[in-house]
Amino acid sequence: MSKNKVDSSAMLENIDLIPTQIATTLTQQTGKKISCIKVNEYLAKLGLQQKLKTRGGKSQWQLTEQGKKYGRVYQVESSYSNWSGNQVKWGEEVIELLKQNLLKLTA
């Protein structure tokens, strides 16, 4: 059991990509326009995250167990508004995973 934790944390060294950045990279690498909304949908289809409703009725993404191998959740605050909350950030490995599954995800 502790081996899995070590393996997961070993993959999580550089976790700083938000879906907008992933979308930009995928668009550049594939030549297909991919939005951050689609990136979130694709990550959910791959079982890496799920959308949950908060008490206030808003939606929030949450990592699944599988998703914890590729991402982390950070508590963030907006510098230009009074918003604060959780934000999922992803490692670069998720870009390759998305590219490998792009045909299946867009079907």
Side-chain angles (χ1 to χ4, degrees), residues 50-55 57-63:
Q50 59 186 351
K51 198 174 208 177
L52 300 176
K53 295 277 186 192
T54 63
R55 281 188 248 170
K58 295 185 179 186
S59 296
Q60 183 172 308
W61 290 106
Q62 178 180 345
L63 289 173

Side-chain angles (χ1 to χ4, degrees), residues 54-104:
T54 63
R55 281 188 248 170
K58 295 185 179 186
S59 296
Q60 183 172 308
W61 290 106
Q62 178 180 345
L63 289 173
T64 62
E65 284 304 311
Q66 180 71 16
K68 291 177 184 176
K69 295 178 183 175
Y70 299 95
R72 286 194 184 131
V73 177
Y74 293 92
Q75 180 69 30
V76 295
E77 291 184 19
S78 173
S79 58
Y80 55 90
S81 71
N82 62 358
W83 180 87
S84 68
N86 293 334
Q87 183 176 41
V88 177
K89 294 190 178 185
W90 300 94
E92 292 180 6
E93 301 86 2
V94 84
I95 293 172
E96 275 308 309
L97 185 66
L98 287 167
K99 281 176 26 183
Q100 291 169 6
N101 290 282
L102 207 50
L103 285 176
K104 179 175 75 173

Side-chain angles (χ1 to χ4, degrees), residues 2-86:
S2 63
K3 183 180 181 202
N4 287 341
K5 289 183 181 178
V6 172
D7 289 346
S8 295
S9 63
M11 288 181 68
L12 297 176
E13 290 180 14
N14 189 19
I15 307 294
D16 60 357
L17 297 174
I18 60 173
T20 301
Q21 294 165 311
I22 295 169
T24 300
T25 301
L26 286 172
T27 296
Q28 292 170 346
Q29 291 182 3
T30 65
K32 297 178 182 180
K33 177 69 178 142
I34 299 172
S35 70
C36 61
I37 293 169
K38 285 292 182 190
V39 167
N40 275 320
E41 289 175 10
Y42 297 160
L43 292 167
K45 282 184 180 180
L46 289 173
L48 303 181
Q49 66 180 4
Q50 59 186 351
K51 198 174 208 177
L52 300 176
K53 295 277 186 192
T54 63
R55 281 188 248 170
K58 295 185 179 186
S59 296
Q60 183 172 308
W61 290 106
Q62 178 180 345
L63 289 173
T64 62
E65 284 304 311
Q66 180 71 16
K68 291 177 184 176
K69 295 178 183 175
Y70 299 95
R72 286 194 184 131
V73 177
Y74 293 92
Q75 180 69 30
V76 295
E77 291 184 19
S78 173
S79 58
Y80 55 90
S81 71
N82 62 358
W83 180 87
S84 68
N86 293 334

